[in-house]
Amino acid sequence: MQLRRNCDTKAEQRKAMPELPEVETVRRGLEPALVGARVVGVEQRRPDLRFPFPERFAERLAGRLIKALRRRAKYLLADLDSAEVLVMHLGMSGSFRVEESARPSNRGSHDHVAFDLSTGTRVTYNDPRRFGFMQLIAGADLAAHPLFATIGLEPLGDELDGAALARRFANKRTSLKAALLDQSLIAGLGNIYVCEALHRAGLSPLRAASSLAGKTGAPNARAHGLAGAIRDVVAEAIAAGGSSLRDHRRPDGRLGYFQHAFRVYDREGTPCPCCGARVRRIVQGGRSTFYCPRCQK
DNA sequence: AGTTGCACCTGGCTGC
DNA sequence: TGCAGCCAGGTGCAAC
């Protein structure tokens, strides 16, 4: 099954970071395989990823029923019948592969964990850069856990609107770009979707985060526009199957490929699709920012 | 306290 | 052709 099509831009060939839409796509792909299944075996091939695996990781998972698979920000949360939650983060290059246990493909050099399920399915986690990690956390402690206690608004659903955005960004001295990347303000956005949302909203990444509210603190048109742009960009990417490109496979084992063109991300020097001006690349906080200097003010 | 910058890690690309 | 060196990025933590 080959889903790769011709790639025409550098971005499509090269970039594939699991931001919220990609993680949600992975969740939806893994859900049918995991939920309702029991873990019958865990093959853990190294002691750590970004962080060490939890103590007695395989032992604590063995025999457990997976009751649900949720997502919070960029985290996948598998609810177990032991009242623990398996928390998984894909880092920058993590991916899952689903196949039959009886006929597993050759072990990849970066296959770090494999879960064998009661259904005869094997789910393998692969992560070349090992920026991902897994944790086991008691369900009752999840909300207060340091990983989740300070996480910001979900861009999906109805909690993110202009007022919430303006409130969160009020008094921030930093740039819109940096504020949008801050997971404690808005959850799940990474470099790609921040660039895209700002372009869509027509706002400069250099603009002060605090400029989304008027003197009274009320959200202005920029706040409403940006909130809408974030929701739209994320929803469209999920609908398109996540912008999962080369080093990010969909959990069914296929290359996650889809029709999705970034308007500015990694398109330095190419014409802005809105006005034709050349897309500019700058560095903010050590990260590339791509934007249109004419459309985005 | 709020903000900035670096380390972690590896594959892929660029330039010699 | 081969190889060294740089770049990408999410997160946590150290340093201003």
Side-chain angles (χ1 to χ4, degrees):
Chain A
M1 200 170 321
Q2 180 54 271
L3 297 182
R4 186 193 289 266
R5 65 172 168 81
N6 290 334
C7 303
D8 22 45
T9 72
K10 207 169 85 171
E12 284 172 304
Q13 289 169 20
R14 204 149 61 76
K15 294 302 185 296
M17 301 305 158
E19 300 185 24
L20 188 153
E22 288 73 25
V23 177
E24 178 60 24
T25 300
V26 169
R27 190 197 68 76
R28 292 179 187 183
L30 279 178
E31 193 170 40
L34 290 183
V35 176
R38 261 179 210 286
V39 180
V40 295
V42 178
E43 192 178 327
Q44 181 192 327
R45 294 172 186 154
R46 54 175 302 125
D48 57 13
L49 293 172
R50 179 170 184 201
F51 306 119
F53 279 97
E55 287 186 22
R56 301 185 299 111
F57 183 62
E59 197 180 318
R60 285 157 75 183
L61 286 173
R64 299 278 62 89
L65 176 73
I66 299 167
K67 293 159 53 180
L69 186 64
R70 298 178 285 141
R71 180 194 56 74
R72 174 77 172 103
K74 299 171 192 168
Y75 295 91
L76 287 170
L77 308 173
D79 293 314
L80 308 174
D81 65 350
S82 58
E84 285 194 303
V85 180
L86 171 59
V87 175
M88 298 173 280
H89 195 291
L90 301 175
M92 294 180 53
S93 60
S95 63
F96 287 96
R97 191 171 72 243
V98 178
E99 54 204 351
E100 290 177 44
S101 300
R103 289 186 293 150
S105 57
N106 290 336
R107 180 198 292 194
S109 58
H110 301 292
D111 288 349
H112 304 307
V113 196
F115 304 100
D116 284 309
L117 305 174
S118 54
T119 49
T121 294
R122 161 168 279 214
V123 174
T124 302
Y125 179 71
N126 179 285
D127 188 355
R129 296 180 205 180
R130 301 207 304 272
F131 272 40
F133 59 91
M134 297 191 185
Q135 289 278 316
L136 277 168
I137 300 172
D141 300 337
L142 199 67
H145 191 279
L147 288 177
F148 299 101
T150 60
I151 280 188
L153 299 174
E154 279 285 330
L156 291 178
D158 51 15
E159 59 183 17
L160 175 60
D161 57 22
L165 204 53
R167 199 162 50 241
R168 295 236 164 192
F169 284 18
N171 305 319
K172 293 282 175 222
R173 307 174 81 95
T174 192
S175 65
L176 268 183
K177 169 76 189 298
L180 288 170
L181 278 176
D182 186 338
Q183 301 298 298
S184 71
L185 299 173
I186 310 290
L189 298 183
N191 207 30
I192 295 172
Y193 293 105
V194 167
C195 291
E196 293 297 307
L198 284 170
H199 179 263
R200 214 176 270 232
L203 295 176
S204 168
L206 298 162
R207 169 180 282 282
S210 56
S211 67
L212 296 186
K215 284 176 186 159
T216 61
N220 56 27
R222 288 187 289 265
H224 295 299
L226 182 56
I230 293 167
R231 287 197 307 266
D232 289 350
V233 162
V234 168
E236 283 175 27
I238 291 173
S243 57
S244 312
L245 309 176
R246 186 157 69 192
D247 65 345
H248 190 72
R249 288 163 195 281
R250 288 211 298 230
D252 57 8
R254 294 177 302 169
L255 196 65
Y257 215 87
F258 76 113
Q259 297 276 353
H260 190 75
F262 298 126
R263 296 184 186 179
V264 288
Y265 182 76
D266 205 20
R267 299 184 65 90
E268 181 182 15
T270 66
C272 167
C274 300
C275 75
R278 299 227 175 268
V279 172
R280 183 176 294 172
R281 173 183 175 273
I282 58 174
V283 175
Q284 291 178 286
R287 299 285 187 251
S288 290
T289 297
F290 299 90
Y291 75 109
C292 171
R294 191 186 295 170
C295 293
Q296 297 178 245
K297 298 297 183 188

